[in-house]
């Protein structure tokens, strides 16, 4: 205990020292322990698998105008938009081009949330939804694919799921973005309007590992401790 105190570790229960020394499996969480707990938007990809700022623009509208708790995902989208804005005129003025007229909040059953925005120049109203890939796919019947809106066929759905799985294998978290034009009175929107939407693309996020994580894991492995 004296030795550990020299390393800024306070031991409240002496028997825990032996228990720690006998450990062969360590169960740990990841976020904030092995990672920085600072989510970064790594990619914004259209249905064809190409980097596309249009996907980022729609994601920004959703994150910027939603009034629920702004989480790490929303903050990452807003930060990425700010970084891209100097190189994309449409991104630099997007928040001033639209106004929010309604919102369908996030819940853990739907695993998605929507905002309803109106374009000031022409009055066009549309719903923009983002959320878990499978949940977004379940409300889409079309996709914006190679510049055209086409049916979301089984083949195209399989392509999207496969690309998301590939990104997942790289350690990235994937969410999807969809939209549709919907002209209705303010205050009349509900979860029932989240249907027959157009899939725009998806976003891939990374929670970067802490600089010390690799060395800590290697040292544990050399000591015979498995990590779960």
């Amino acid at each position: 205990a004296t030795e550990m105190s020299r390393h800024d570790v306070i031991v409240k229960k002496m028997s825990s020292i032996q228990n720690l020394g006998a450990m062969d499996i360590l169960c740990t969480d990841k976020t904030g322990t092995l990672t920085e707990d600072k989510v970064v938007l790594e990619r914004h990809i259209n249905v064809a698998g190409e980097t596309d700022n249009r996907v980022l623009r729609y994601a920004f509208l959703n994150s910027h105008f939603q009034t629920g708790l702004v989480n790490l995902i929303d903050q990452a989208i807003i930060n990425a938009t700010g970084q891209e804005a100097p190189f994309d005129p449409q991104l630099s003025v997007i928040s001033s081009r639209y106004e929010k007229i309604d919102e369908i909040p996030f819940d853990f059953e739907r695993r998605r949330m929507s905002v309803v925005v109106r374009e000031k120049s022409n009055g066009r109203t549309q719903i923009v939804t983002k959320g878990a890939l499978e949940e977004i796919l379940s409300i889409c019947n079309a996709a914006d694919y190679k510049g055209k809106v086409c049916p979301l066929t089984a083949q195209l759905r399989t392509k999207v799921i496969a690309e998301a799985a590939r990104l997942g294998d790289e350690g990235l978290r994937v969410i999807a973005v969809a939209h549709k034009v919907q002209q209705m009175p303010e205050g009349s929107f509900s979860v029932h309007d989240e249907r027959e939407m157009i899939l725009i693309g998806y976003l891939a996020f990374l929670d970067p590992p802490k600089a010390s994580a690799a060395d800590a894991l290697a040292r544990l492995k050399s000591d015979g401790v498995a990590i779960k």
Side-chain angles (χ1 to χ4, degrees), residues 40-46 50-64 73-88 90-92 94-95 128 130 175-178 200-205:
V40 177
L41 177 59
E42 287 283 301
R43 301 176 202 173
H44 39 282
I45 304 168
N46 61 27
E50 306 159 335
T51 298
D52 190 340
N53 273 5
R54 189 165 176 264
V55 179
L56 181 57
R57 291 199 294 270
Y58 276 101
F60 174 81
L61 287 174
N62 182 286
S63 294
H64 175 73
I73 293 289
D74 290 312
Q75 196 57 58
I77 291 169
I78 292 168
N79 291 344
T81 303
Q83 292 167 4
E84 288 283 341
F87 311 103
D88 185 336
Q90 292 194 58
L91 280 177
S92 63
I94 190 167
S95 61
V128 183
K130 79 173 187 304
I175 67 172
V177 184
I200 305 169
Y202 30 94
L203 309 161
F205 300 86

Side-chain angles (χ1 to χ4, degrees), residues 139-188:
I139 60 172
C140 290
N141 65 352
D144 192 326
Y145 185 60
K146 296 185 177 179
K148 296 181 180 179
V149 175
C150 62
L152 185 58
T153 61
Q155 182 180 5
L156 197 53
R157 190 181 296 265
T158 299
K159 172 183 169 62
V160 169
I161 293 172
E163 177 64 16
R166 186 186 67 78
L167 293 169
D169 289 342
E170 294 181 25
L172 301 174
R173 177 182 176 185
V174 178
I175 67 172
V177 184
H179 82 123
K180 74 170 178 179
V181 174
Q182 186 85 325
Q183 302 287 0
M184 291 169 61
E186 184 176 344
S188 60

